[in-house]
Amino acid sequence: MATVGVLVSGSGSNLQAMLDGVADGSLPCRVALVISNRPAAAALARAAAAGVATRIVPHGDFPSREAFDGAVVEALRAAGVDIVALAGFDRLVTPVLLRAFPSRVLNVHPALLPAFKGLHAQRQALEYGVRIAGATVHLVDEAMDHGPIVLQGAVAVAPDDTEETLARRILAVEHVIYPAALRLLAEGRLEVDGRRVRIRGDAPSLPPPLIAS
Ligand code: GRF
C-alpha cells in the first residue's frame, strides 16, 4: 500500500477528503505525515484528529526554497513516504523535492488548466467571463501549475456567482477528483507519455461536466 505525505498551508479540506477516503476504504493508501509551512494551518488539527503525524516546517526558517525543500524531503523520507500530495500548499516546490519523488508529486489547482494559473484562479475565471470553470489534479513539474494532467472536473459558472460561491463549488469538485487521482497513482495505474497521462484499466467514474445556462 502506498504511503502518502501531504503538504498543506491552510484549511485542509482536500486533506480531509483524502483522510475520509482512507477511513472508508475508498482510498487504498496510508497517510503517514502531514507537513505545514504555517503553524496556524487548520489542516494540522484535521490530521491530528485522524491520528496522522504532523510536522511544522516554517519556510521562513530557511535561507532558500531549496533548503526548505531539503528539510521537507528529510521528514517525508523519515516517515517512509513514497507519494507526496500538495493540498493547498502555498509554496513553489523546487527540484530538490521533485528529484526525491520523481513523478510522485501531485497538486490540485482550482481552475481548468492551462487557464488561470497562479493565485486567485477563481477570480481570474470570473473576471475573464468563462461559462465553465473547474479544478485540475496534475503531476508536479518544475513550472508552476504546469505538469501532466491526471483528472479534471468542471462546474458551470452561474450568472450571480461571486468568487466565494464559485470557489465553494470548485472545492467540491476537488474533493472528488483529488482522492480519485491519488488512488490511480497509488495503484500504479498512471502512464505518463509526455504531457499525456493514460489511465490503465477503468477510468474512475466522475460527474459529467455541466453545461452553463
Ligand atoms: C484549493 O482550492 C486548492 O485548489 C488551492 O487551495 C485551496 C486549498 O483548500 N490550491 P484546502 O486547504 O484543501 O481546503
Side-chain angles (χ1 to χ4, degrees), residues 17-111:
M18 292 173 199
L19 295 171
D20 292 348
V22 170
D24 70 19
S26 60
L27 181 57
C29 296
R30 191 171 77 89
V31 178
L33 181 62
V34 171
I35 299 178
S36 176
N37 60 318
R38 297 189 185 274
L44 290 166
R46 296 182 189 266
V52 173
T54 60
R55 276 283 294 276
I56 297 167
V57 185
H59 58 272
D61 289 358
F62 297 86
S64 64
R65 290 187 191 278
E66 288 76 11
F68 170 71
D69 278 7
V72 167
V73 166
E74 201 178 306
L76 292 169
R77 283 199 169 130
V81 163
D82 46 52
I83 292 178
V84 182
L86 312 183
F89 183 59
D90 63 7
R91 305 296 297 169
L92 291 174
V93 300
T94 71
V96 172
L97 179 83
L98 298 176
R99 283 187 200 133
F101 299 96
S103 296
R104 312 285 287 170
V105 183
L106 284 173
N107 183 42
V108 65
H109 181 71

